[in-house]
Amino acid sequence: MMMTQKSFGGFQPNRKLIGAGLLLGGIGAVAGLMGTVMVGVALATAGRGWVRQLETPPSERAARAMQQARAASQAGLEAWRSGASIN
């Protein structure tokens, strides 16, 4: 059975309404993206200010924590070895 234009005759969307909806949707998407960017910039700025006012920089804190972890690991290994040799 061949479809003709008459079989779709009842479906005639309002093109102006579709165009207006697409336009408003695009405007809303752009506004949402701009809002997201503004929130990101505000959070990044606040984060930079917070890091600047810290007494110890995060990189120094991380290095200190890594050094402490290595020392604890070495102490545990030495304790395990000395405990294993006693038995």
Side-chain angles (χ1 to χ4, degrees):
M1 187 169 172
M2 186 183 258
M3 295 183 122
T4 64
Q5 192 172 0
K6 288 184 180 181
S7 63
F8 292 111
F11 184 72
Q12 295 178 353
N14 186 339
R15 290 182 188 218
K16 287 183 181 181
L17 190 57
I18 290 175
L22 288 172
L23 178 67
L24 288 174
I27 291 171
V30 169
L33 181 63
M34 289 177 64
T36 302
V37 168
M38 290 172 69
V39 167
V41 167
L43 291 174
T45 302
R48 266 189 262 130
W50 176 70
V51 168
R52 281 189 194 130
Q53 74 183 25
L54 291 175
E55 292 179 12
T56 306
S59 58
E60 190 177 323
R61 285 180 165 203
R64 188 179 313 142
M66 186 61 108
Q67 183 180 7
Q68 290 172 346
R70 283 187 188 131
S73 175
Q74 188 64 33
L77 180 62
E78 288 175 13
W80 179 77
R81 284 182 180 164
S82 67
S85 65
I86 293 174
N87 291 331

